Every structure is written in C-alpha cells, then in structure tokens.
Amino acid sequence: MTDVVDVEPGVRLDPTEQVDRLLRDLRSSRSGLSGREAQRRLIHVGPNELSRRGGRTWPRELVRQFTHPLALLLWAAAGLAWLVGIEPVAIAILVVIVINAAFAFVQEQHAEKAVEALAAYLPMRAKVLRDGRVAEIDATGLVPGDVLVIEEGDRISADARLLDGGIEVDLSALTGEALPAFRSADLVDSHVPLLQARDLVFSGTTCTEGEARAVVFATGMRTELGRIAALSERVDRDESPLEHQVRRVAWLIALISVLLGVAFIPVAALGAGLSFLNAVIFAVGLLVGNVPEGLLPVITLALAIGVRGLARRGAVVKRLSAVETLGSTDVICTDKTGALTENRMRVTVVHTAAGTHILDPDQPPQPGEATLHRLAAAMAACNNARVDDPGHETGDPTEIAMLSAGVLLGVSLDPDERLRRRRRQFHFDPTRKRMSTLDADDREHTWLHTKGAPETVLPLCTTELDTAGHPRPLTPARRSELAGLVDTEAQQGLRVLAVAERPLAPGTTLTDRDQVERDLTLLGLVAMVDPARPEVAGAVADCHTAGIRIIVITGDHGLTAAAIAGQVGITRGKPTVITGDELDRMTERDLDTLLAQPGELIFARSSPEAKLRIADALRDTGHVVAMTGDGVNDAPALRRADIGIAMGRSGTDVAREASTMVLSDDNFATITAAVQAGRRVYDNIRKFIFYIFAHATPEVTPFVVFALSGGTIPLPLTVLQLLAFDVGTETLPALALGREPAEPGLMQRPPRNRSEPVIRAPMLLRAWLFLGVICAALEMAGFFYVLLKAGWHPGAPTGPGTPLHHAYQQATTMTFLGMVAGQIGTAFAARTERASLRSIGVFSNPLLLWGIAFELVLTAAIIYLPPLQSVLGTAPLTLDMLALTVPFPIIVWGADELRRWLLRRRDKAHHV
C-alpha cells in the first residue's frame, strides 16, 4: 500500500500518483512557484528543518564540572577541613567548587553555542525554480510545490518526485545501503512503500551522479527523515587532543598534590612538630594551592573564540579541535581553480580549422562561418549553465564562460529549449575528464556533443570540421599541431578544452557511453583564462616563510597549473610536474621518495583518488596535511586529511559535509589566515597555561615555610585568602590572555610537530622555578617586613588576643597583596615567549588591562572593606607597606624580559 503524506496541516496526497495530478494537488507546475507564493507557503507550513526533541543534556554537563580531577582535589581539601573541625574553610572551599563549576559550565555552553552558531555561516543551500528562473536559496526556505534542480554533489533537502532526468542517489542515511541507487522520472512506481519508489528522492540523501528536476511534496518534520530520525540523540562533543593533554596534566597535578599532602602530614606533625590540626591546615593549603581552577574552561573558551574569529575571516571551522590542528599544518595540498584563481572564466581564444580567433566582447567575430557556428552550437548544447541577464548567472564557471562565448559567436540557446532537445547526458567524469550530451536538432536527428580535456577528447576524434563545414581526416601532423597549440596556451596559464560532435544514426544505443563517444569530429579548441587572485601571492609567501610546503593537485593541464603556480609564487623555479598517468604507475615507495624531495611539486590531470593517495602518503610520513576539494569524489581525501578544506561557493554539499573547514570565499589566502589564527590560538593557550601554573609556587610556598619551621613562623597566608586569590583575581587576566594578538614572527617559525605536547618542561621550569620562585620570594619578603617591623621574632605568639595579632593580619594581607602584584607582573611576562613586550605594545590587549584593573579593585576591597576583612582575616595596610609592593610587578616582568633578551641574543648568535 502506498504511503499517504501530510504535506500541510489538513492536506494529504499520494506522491506516487500521476505527475500531472500530483502537480495539481500541490498547486504547482513544472516551472515551479512564484516567489510570493513560496513566501506564503513558508508562513503556512513553517521552515524546512528538523526540530530537536528530547531532554537537554545540560544537567549531565553540569555534573561533569563537579567531578573532573581538579574539582575532586578541592572536594578532598574540603573533606579534610571538615573532618578536623575547620568548618569555615570547608564551606569556603565548597563555595569555590560551586563557583568554578558554574563558571566552567557557562564557558562550555558559550563555546558550544559559538560552534553551533556557525550554521548561520554555512546554511544548506538548494537550487529551485522561482518565477521561472533557477535561484539558489536557503534549504530552510523550501516549501511543497517548489521544483528542485538537483545536480551531482547536491544534498537533497526535501522529499520530492522527479519530473525529468535521472540521478544516482546515496540513500545510506535512510536505508543503510552503501551502494547508490538509480532514481529516474521514467521509472514510475505505484503501490509500493515510499522508500522503494524509484521516482522519488528524499531529504538527507545525496546526489552522486547525474542531473534532474523534482517537485517537493514534503518538508521539515513531514519528510521521511523527519519521521524516522532519532531526533532525541545528540552527538557528544569531541575532546580535542589539546583538552586531552590538559586533562592528563590535571590528573597528574591531582596525584602529585595528594601524594605531597599525605606525605607532609606525618612529616609536618612528627618531624616539624606541628599539631595535627596545623598539619591538616598545611595539607589543605597544599591541595588548594596546586589546583589551577580556571584551566579547563579557559582553554575551551579560547578555542571557541578562535573558531568564531576564523568564521569572521571566511574560514568556517566545524570542530573546536581543528583550531589546534591548524597551528601545526606543514603541508597544504591545493587545487588551482577557485583557491588560487578567481574561478571567473572567460574564453579568450578559439582555434578551429579556419584558424585562430580572438574573442573580444567589443569586437565579436563575423557571423556566418560554418565551423564557428557549429562550435558555438555545441558549446551551448553540451552545457548546464544558465545566463538570464548579465550578472545573473548560475552554473559552473567554465560552462558559463562557454555559454557566453557561444553568444558572442552568434548562438544563443534558451535553457528550456536546450532541455527540451536533450535526450541524455553523460556527466563530467573526473577519470574521463569530459562531458557529453545527446541532443535532437530541428529535424529530430540526434547529435552527440562532447567537451573536455584535449588529451581525452582528441584520441576519440577521427575527423575535423573544415572551413566549409565538412569533416576531413585528422592527420598525425594536424594532431601534433593541435598538441603544440594546447601546450602553448597552457604555458600562458590558459585552460584549454576540446569540443567535438558526432551525428548518431537512428537505432543507435544511447545508454552505452563508450559506444557513443567514438568516431568524433573535432570542432575546435577553446582557451579560457581564469585570473590568479591578487591576494594569493602574499599568502603563499607567508606560507613559505612559515615553513609550510604547498603542493598543487589539479585536474588541469600541467603547463597551465605550472603557469598559475609561478604567477602566485608557489613555484620559484621549474617544478616537477607529475601527470595522473605517471602517478598511477608509481609504487608507494616511489611516491614516498617523490614527496620527501625538497623540490616543488605539481600533480596535473589528477583524479580525486590521487588526492586520497597523496594525503595518505604525507600523513604516514608524519606531516600535518590540509587538503582542499570541492567535488563529490574529493570527500574521501577531505576526510583523510588532518584539515579537509571545502569550497563554500563552488563546492558540493558532499564536500562541505566531509570537510573540517569550509572557505566561504573559496580563497587560498583564507587558508593562510586560518593557519596563522590557529598558531595564535595555540600560543595563547600556552600563555595562559603558563600564567596559571606560575602561581603554584607562590601559593604553596607560605604553607611549606610554615611546615618546615615547625610552626615557629606563623602561617603566612590563610586558606581563605588563598581561595580568594585563586577565584577572585586570577581568572579574568587568564581569559584576557586568550585574546592576545599574534606575537611578532609568528609566521616565521616552522610548524610545530604534531606530537609536541602543549605543556613542556621549559614552560614548567619558567613557571615554577623562575617566575614562581621570584614571586614567592617577593611575597615572603613583604610578609617578614611587616612582622619584623612590629617586633616579631620566631616563635612569638600571633594568635587572637596577642599584641602581635594585628601585625600578623597585616603580614598575611601583605602576602596576599604581594601575590597579586607578582600576578600582574606574570601577566605581562606571559604575553610573549621570546619577543619583547615593546614589540607587541603594552596597550595592545585592552582586555588584559581591564582584567588587571578589576583585580586591583577587588584586592582593595578585600584589604579595606570591613565585611571582607572579617571573613578573610585581612587588615588595612599602611602607605609604606603599599609602597613596598609597587615595584613587585616590574621586578617580575623585568626578570622575564631579561631572560627573553638573553634567549634572543643566543638565537641570533646561533644564526650568525
């Protein structure tokens, strides 16, 4: 029994009924809807999209924030404090856990929304007939009655009935079948389940071959996909390699902190003579001081900020982890057309048996020459582009150029008339590198029209059309002359296509492509120019400076590709050009040897399978590969590359779905900008990891001093003050470091190794044993300055009610202020790893300045507001105490500036 479909609320129809009756029920026609009617229906039936159902996952995400390793460390500290009766400390730690979890949860939700918002940059598109013209619209705007124009590589966005044409469709999203199924308007099925009807296509499937038109009968939740999809399921967010590394480090920190705490309790209690209560206080402080609370959420947010920044520059990244991978890309495999060129073709020269014809829009050739007329007619017939008005063009740029050239030569074929005459189409095949159509003339005789790469079309030609319009034998001498013409034009950077025809005798089988595409008559060679993008040369130079290798993989002629590559600076000498046939004959070892050579490579006349093979070879040798592509057959290579890059304008839906990144402007320069942004984001992540880790030493030092002195030195910092430092003053500057501008020389550095960890020994030594030790020494100097000035000596009582208690409170406050002052110096030091602060500008990151201003205001409130004084045990400081801490940030930053100057001097000496 055939399914009956709800098209609109209250409207039901059978999509397998007779086509004319279906069009009547849909109140549509073969020429589609008007724009006004489509808008009315869109309001009535709603957008063509799947609505999400099921419960939200935010409770699970929130729980996760309370159970990650760093949170578990704080839970352990709170438990210890509670067991020994230090309830205020335990409560304070619990408050910190809640604040951290809430902050991390908000940041991750922000990051998730930032990535989801990228859908606005990449709406699924659909080609429809509106007001009698082919228009490209957002797929969400499809309504029942729209007539879809479906081409190879298109994602089908609604359930539809084919009106004409035949296509291969990948139905795996609905049926699980791996092999494509043929769907045709001629295969009429009725009284069968919808998914088995051979004249229907469905939302969520993909056209892998052919071309057709179809009338939409169901959209949104009324499609088959809307009925059967598991809409309540959501894909878990992938953890990037960077987040995985940081999580491992978090577990390592947790393990070290617990072991130190457990080991120091008996040491402090027995060896140092601390009471059990003081030993536990020491352990709690050790645990809290080792926890970099803001680390995980800040990393997630930095990646999300990087993704949104790339989207504004025209590179839409679909995964957070790709931002990190971009920074280590060392090979870019790029196509020529579109990425390096403007993808705006124009026919400039036509070669026929009558000679060479320069096509100038201001001086078109004289009409009447039979050969030119037949050539123009073939270019118009073997074509799927549409040129309604100047500036209103749809279709492949090459076909638009040939259609425009046909008009210049005096042949204009209405698209509807072209479709009426067409009997069959053999689509462009990347392996055959040609396209053919079977078309009827005015006398209903069938002709084959073929266009494609000269090396694939010329061998099929046995004759050439002479000046009188009669076929003449294609001699070896003429073939050699034509090959020379192709090479000459290709050396000028022109793309050359051959155009041929053949009259088909009545009764000829029209379905066997190999039988039809033979004994052709050559009409001529068409040379067209696709200018190089002016901004690409600078981007290529940046890649070379950054140590990134560029390999051109194109379906064009090798000389054409080499000419364009030379114009934009990819090749600076004579490159090695490998043809598709030569690559096919290479063994894997031969290919590895070729790719290992330092010279410049161009793979010409390459198939999409060649891209996959090259990507595999490069990755197996440890390279991080970015690969561009736009066709259906490019999808495997885009998936296999570390960064698959699809073209947003000219690319197919299949390529965009398989890719990691989509270029909304199809521009190679955007790839370079994305690599630079990836490096900057990675650097900034390292900066704020360093910034957070640099505070571990000054946070732990007061408790170590207290423990090792056996209590003769009072605790220089209370646990509550430590918590206030961690939660209150550290986070905003860390976030601001995630927005740091690029460091000078960013694109002069070689790509980092893919196995290089984000947290390395030099970073930890700089954080813990260099700046950390300096900050710890300064804060302890401030602490002892206040106590000694008040007359304290080791072992003197400082508890409540003693004469030194107020001085002790001022001393712990001084420790707190010294930590904040050192933190400011660390923030400025963290802004660069090797360059001087002057080279990037003190005021180039205003967010950091605002973050520092906030922590100074908060510190002043903690020191001078009575409510906070009573909670945290602080006391107001005098002017001389404040004056002592003023140079602390300069000392910390200055020490690191001196270290960086010495590093630069050493590097310069090594390069001399």
Side-chain angles (χ1 to χ4, degrees):
M1 184 69 183
T2 302
D3 295 307
V4 177
V5 177
D6 294 313
V7 183
E8 303 180 26
V11 178
R12 295 166 69 81
L13 56 81
D14 177 8
T16 63
E17 65 183 341
Q18 189 178 356
V19 169
D20 291 338
R21 191 173 298 169
L22 177 64
L23 288 170
R24 181 201 65 192
D25 292 343
L26 288 167
R27 302 191 304 281
S28 184
S29 68
R30 292 177 181 269
S31 60
L33 302 173
S34 67
R36 182 180 299 177
E37 174 63 16
Q39 288 299 317
R40 187 196 68 78
R41 295 191 185 192
L42 184 61
I43 294 171
H44 190 56
V45 301
N48 176 36
E49 59 188 10
L50 301 180
S51 58
R52 291 196 177 275
R53 297 174 182 168
R56 299 173 63 187
T57 60
W58 66 263
R60 184 178 60 194
E61 293 296 318
L62 186 58
V63 169
R64 192 168 64 89
Q65 304 304 332
F66 288 96
T67 56
H68 69 75
L70 302 182
L72 294 176
L73 204 58
L74 291 177
W75 281 111
L80 276 175
W82 192 271
L83 284 175
V84 297
I86 321 174
E87 287 86 357
V89 172
I91 293 171
I93 295 174
L94 292 176
V95 170
V96 169
I97 294 173
V98 172
I99 292 174
N100 281 337
F103 175 77
F105 174 72
V106 169
Q107 298 309 329
E108 288 205 2
Q109 294 299 304
H110 183 188
E112 183 177 331
K113 288 178 181 177
V115 177
E116 289 179 353
L118 297 179
Y121 291 91
L122 271 184
M124 192 65 70
R125 307 288 286 177
K127 290 183 282 291
V128 297
L129 286 177
R130 290 273 175 90
D131 298 312
R133 288 181 171 182
V134 177
E136 190 169 310
I137 65 169
D138 286 352
T140 55
L142 285 175
V143 295
D146 264 327
V147 174
L148 282 172
V149 178
I150 305 171
E151 298 173 343
E152 178 184 341
D154 286 350
R155 175 78 176 269
I156 299 169
S157 304
D159 291 0
R161 167 78 173 271
L162 295 179
L163 298 177
D164 56 60
I167 55 177
E168 295 276 350
V169 182
D170 179 3
L171 294 170
S172 57
L174 292 179
T175 65
E177 292 291 335
L179 294 176
F182 183 67
R183 293 289 185 262
S184 172
D186 300 330
L187 302 175
V188 179
D189 287 319
S190 59
H191 305 294
V192 297
L194 287 185
L195 289 177
Q196 296 179 20
R198 292 173 297 170
D199 54 352
L200 300 184
V201 292
F202 300 96
S203 177
T205 62
T206 302
C207 172
T208 59
E209 181 178 328
E211 185 179 83
R213 296 191 182 193
V215 61
V216 174
F217 63 80
T219 60
M221 295 301 295
R222 299 178 184 86
T223 62
E224 287 301 299
L225 184 65
R227 294 175 192 273
I228 67 176
L231 300 177
S232 61
E233 294 183 0
R234 289 187 64 183
V235 178
D236 290 337
R237 183 178 67 86
D238 291 336
E239 185 175 66
S240 75
L242 174 64
E243 291 174 306
H244 179 67
Q245 284 186 41
V246 172
R247 191 169 289 276
R248 288 182 59 187
V249 170
W251 278 111
L252 180 63
I253 292 172
L255 179 64
I256 292 174
S257 300
V258 170
L259 291 177
L260 283 176
V262 170
F264 262 97
I265 286 179
V267 170
L270 302 176
L274 288 182
S275 66
F276 179 73
L277 177 61
N278 285 337
V280 171
I281 291 174
F282 162 75
V284 170
L286 200 64
L287 291 178
V288 174
N290 272 305
V291 176
E293 288 89 350
L295 187 60
L296 297 179
V298 168
I299 286 177
T300 303
L301 184 61
L303 290 173
I305 290 170
V307 165
R308 299 194 79 169
L310 286 172
R312 285 192 292 270
R313 301 189 68 169
V316 181
V317 179
K318 294 156 64 176
R319 293 198 310 267
L320 283 181
S321 58
V323 179
E324 175 200 358
T325 310
L326 277 167
S328 56
T329 299
D330 64 342
V331 177
I332 298 176
C333 297
T334 179
D335 196 351
K336 177 188 74 68
T337 305
L340 303 181
T341 60
E342 295 180 357
N343 204 18
R344 187 169 46 82
M345 309 292 287
R346 182 174 64 85
V347 175
T348 57
V349 181
V350 174
H351 300 281
T352 67
T356 298
H357 309 271
I358 307 297
L359 286 195
D360 185 346
D362 298 326
Q363 295 179 342
Q366 292 297 321
E369 187 177 307
T371 310
L372 278 179
H373 183 82
R374 292 268 287 276
L375 173 66
M379 289 194 297
C382 187
N383 205 306
N384 290 316
R386 186 181 182 113
V387 180
D388 296 306
D389 297 304
H392 190 85
E393 305 159 339
T394 54
D396 180 79
T398 299
E399 295 197 331
I400 292 173
M402 298 187 80
L403 206 57
S404 301
V407 173
L408 277 177
L409 294 171
V411 175
S412 180
L413 186 61
D414 179 79
D416 295 328
E417 177 67 12
R418 179 178 63 198
L419 191 63
R420 187 188 68 77
R421 293 186 176 196
R422 183 171 295 177
R423 298 293 177 261
R424 186 173 182 83
Q425 172 184 318
F426 297 110
H427 69 92
F428 176 79
D429 187 320
T431 303
R432 289 183 166 92
K433 297 183 179 63
R434 61 182 179 269
M435 167 190 172
S436 297
T437 58
L438 302 175
D439 306 288
D441 61 13
D442 294 334
R443 293 176 294 175
E444 290 299 319
H445 295 161
T446 303
W447 288 75
L448 173 79
H449 295 113
T450 298
K451 71 172 188 289
E455 64 266 29
T456 68
V457 175
L458 290 178
L460 302 177
C461 297
T462 56
T463 58
E464 180 182 18
L465 204 66
D466 64 14
T467 55
H470 303 298
R472 69 182 184 189
L474 196 58
T475 63
R478 178 59 175 163
R479 289 183 186 275
S480 177
E481 182 184 349
L482 290 171
L485 283 173
V486 172
D487 288 348
T488 300
E489 300 290 16
Q491 286 172 353
Q492 304 302 315
L494 299 180
R495 184 182 185 189
V496 183
L497 295 182
V499 182
E501 67 178 17
R502 176 194 173 193
L504 298 177
T508 303
T509 303
L510 304 182
T511 56
D512 189 336
R513 183 168 189 170
D514 291 328
Q515 287 299 315
V516 173
E517 290 181 337
R518 63 184 177 86
D519 299 329
L520 306 183
T521 297
L522 178 66
L523 299 177
L525 299 177
V526 178
M528 56 190 75
V529 64
D530 184 11
R533 293 178 182 268
E535 65 274 18
V536 169
V540 167
D542 288 342
C543 285
H544 285 154
T545 305
I548 299 172
R549 187 182 190 186
I550 302 173
I551 298 175
V552 178
I553 309 175
T554 178
D556 280 343
H557 193 286
L559 294 176
T560 305
I564 294 295
Q567 289 175 25
V568 299
I570 292 178
T571 58
R572 289 162 288 190
K574 187 175 182 181
T576 301
V577 179
I578 309 297
T579 65
D581 292 339
E582 291 172 338
L583 179 62
D584 290 341
R585 291 193 296 269
M586 283 186 176
T587 65
E588 298 304 321
R589 179 173 293 181
D590 292 338
L591 180 58
D592 290 343
T593 302
L594 175 68
L595 292 173
Q597 293 173 359
E600 295 144 341
L601 292 176
I602 293 177
F603 292 89
R605 296 304 192 201
S606 296
S607 65
E609 291 75 17
K611 285 188 173 183
L612 178 62
R613 189 179 174 196
I614 293 167
D616 278 338
L618 288 168
R619 292 197 68 203
D620 286 347
T621 52
H623 293 286
V624 180
V625 182
M627 174 78 72
T628 69
D630 56 10
V632 175
N633 292 336
D634 288 331
L638 293 177
R639 288 194 182 96
R640 191 67 56 86
D642 297 281
I643 299 290
I645 304 171
M647 302 295 121
R649 291 180 180 174
S650 60
T652 60
D653 292 335
V654 176
R656 286 194 286 265
E657 288 181 6
S659 65
T660 313
M661 183 170 80
V662 179
L663 301 182
S664 60
D665 56 2
D666 290 11
N667 194 338
F668 180 87
T670 306
I671 302 176
T672 307
V675 171
Q676 182 176 7
R679 290 189 176 192
R680 181 178 64 84
V681 168
Y682 186 82
D683 275 6
N684 287 349
I685 290 172
R686 287 176 50 83
K687 288 172 186 177
F688 64 68
I689 289 177
F690 162 74
Y691 168 77
I692 290 173
F693 277 20
H695 303 145
T697 302
E699 288 178 2
V700 170
T701 297
F703 297 92
V704 173
V705 169
F706 168 68
L708 293 180
S709 71
T712 57
I713 298 175
L715 191 61
L717 185 75
T718 68
V719 175
L720 290 177
Q721 290 168 354
L722 175 58
L723 291 172
F725 175 81
D726 276 336
V727 177
T729 65
E730 186 176 67
T731 305
L732 285 183
L735 285 173
L737 286 172
R739 301 282 192 100
E740 191 68 30
E743 193 169 333
L746 181 69
M747 292 297 281
Q748 276 77 50
R749 304 198 308 246
R752 64 181 175 85
N753 192 291
R754 70 157 71 226
S755 60
E756 177 186 304
V758 66
I759 300 172
R760 292 178 295 169
M763 174 200 287
L764 296 180
L765 291 175
R766 179 188 175 201
W768 289 342
L769 299 182
F770 181 60
L771 288 187
V773 168
I774 293 173
C775 290
L778 292 173
E779 74 185 17
M780 295 310 299
F783 172 77
F784 285 117
Y785 168 78
V786 174
L787 276 185
L788 293 173
K789 183 182 177 183
W792 171 86
H793 59 84
T798 56
T802 62
L804 291 174
H805 181 61
H806 180 72
Y808 169 68
Q809 287 184 314
Q810 283 184 314
T812 60
T813 306
M814 192 68 170
T815 304
F816 176 81
L817 179 59
M819 289 171 62
V820 171
Q823 187 181 58
I824 294 172
T826 303
F828 282 107
R831 293 188 62 189
T832 63
E833 192 167 345
R834 287 182 177 268
S836 67
L837 182 61
R838 185 179 64 180
S839 66
I840 63 171
V842 177
F843 303 104
S844 58
N845 188 351
L847 285 175
L848 179 62
L849 301 179
W850 282 109
I852 291 172
F854 170 81
E855 70 175 329
L856 288 175
V857 171
L858 180 61
T859 301
I862 290 172
I863 295 174
Y864 293 104
L865 291 183
L868 293 178
Q869 289 174 352
S870 61
V871 171
L872 300 176
T874 57
L877 301 179
T878 60
L879 286 177
D880 63 308
M881 298 174 187
L882 295 176
L884 181 65
T885 60
V886 168
F888 284 8
I890 299 173
I891 294 172
V892 173
W893 162 77
D896 197 69
E897 187 78 9
L898 177 61
R899 182 195 67 85
R900 282 179 271 125
W901 177 78
L902 292 173
L903 284 176
R904 293 195 302 273
R905 186 179 178 186
R906 184 195 66 184
D907 292 345
K908 188 175 181 180
H910 286 169
H911 284 103
V912 173

